[in-house]
Every structure is written in C-alpha cells, then in structure tokens.
Amino acid sequence: MKIAVFPGSFDPITTGHVDLVKRALPLFDKIVVAVGVNTQKKYLFPLKIRLDWLEKVFADEPKVEVASFQNLTAHYCQKIGARYLLRGLRNSSDFDYEKTISQLNDIVGDGLETIFLISRPQYSHISSTIVREIIKGGGDASPFIPKMVDPKI
Ligand code: ADP
C-alpha cells in the first residue's frame, strides 16, 4: 500500500493545500494529512480547530486521513508505514528549504522519498502566513481558504 504523509502546520489550511492533495490522490493509495506539532512554535489557531477543518475539508475523500504528530516527521512516517512525503513547491525559496529537508529525511527516514508537486499558478501566491496576516488585519481571507474554514473563532 502506497502511503504518503502531507505534513504541515495548516494554520490554517488554504485552497493551495487542498489543490495539492487532490492532485496527489491518483499517485497514492492513502494520503495522511498530518499536522506537525512543534511545542516551541506559536500558532494562530488551536490544534483541535485545525484538525476539525482538515476533517471537514477532506470528509468526502476516502483516501485521505487526518492526523497529528510530534517530533520528527520521518519517525512518524516510519511509525505508520508511510514511504513517501508529499510537499508543495511554490517558488525558489520553497525549493531551497525543501531540498535540504528532503535530503535529511532520506537519511533520517532511511530512504523516505519526498514527492514534490509544483503549485498551480493560481495558487502559488497563497500561503498560510499571508492568510494569517489578512485575518489579523481584519480582512477577508475567504478567497484563499476552503469554504468550511471559518476563521472567526
Ligand atoms: P509548514 O509549516 O511545514 O511550512 P504549511 O502548512 O505552511 O507547513 O505547508 C505545508 C506544505 O504545503 C508545504 O510543502 C508547502 O510548500 C505546501 N503549500 C503551502 N501552500 C501551498 C500552495 N499555495 N500551493 C502548493 N503548495 C503549498
């Protein structure tokens, strides 16, 4: 069974994330959208709410599971028997960052393979960081987030 983990903060999930998962579905038997919990990091939305949004967004996708994990992504993949990581590339700064992480994960994860999809042009400007700035500034983030995500919590 080909299992991929799509790790991220999803703070909050954006339409860019959703598009990436949908495009990757034909490649895998199962995609685990997994919220990585870093105890040092401050998030805008609580873990429970980020997980609820993910559950709602992927409710109609039987091949998608939602989960959370702590510590190393590579160890989490080993634990659940996932041999693939899914990541998105929007621009060259994503590439520079992701290249190093994927090379590390190959070693730490004992051959864990990262599959990259280049974002579609209509999503390449969307990031959770920008969405958080819009929300904090009192703007309307609805063009960038799935309709079941209500940031007014
Ligand atoms: P992280 O905290 O690990 O950066 P994110 O939740 O911001 O987590 O992103 C998770 C993954 O989704 C990353 O691989 C990122 O490149 C990808 N991603 C984020 N936004 C988009 C987008 N608009 N289009 C395609 N991929 C995206």
Side-chain angles (χ1 to χ4, degrees), residues 83-107:
R83 300 301 307 145
Y84 304 94
L85 274 176
L86 173 65
R87 296 289 285 178
L89 295 175
R90 287 162 291 189
N91 47 46
S92 52
S93 36
D94 273 357
F95 174 79
D96 286 341
Y97 175 76
E98 296 289 343
K99 174 176 178 273
T100 313
I101 304 282
S102 81
Q103 288 168 338
L104 287 170
N105 278 327
D106 175 38
I107 298 165

Side-chain angles (χ1 to χ4, degrees), residues 6-12 14-17 20 41 86-90 94 97-98 117-120 123-128:
F6 181 40
S9 308
F10 305 107
D11 188 28
T14 68
T15 50
H17 294 129
L20 205 78
K41 215 165 144 182
L86 173 65
R87 296 289 285 178
L89 295 175
R90 287 162 291 189
D94 273 357
Y97 175 76
E98 296 289 343
L117 292 185
I118 292 179
S119 68
R120 290 160 86 202
Y123 297 107
S124 62
H125 60 292
I126 302 174
S127 69
S128 294

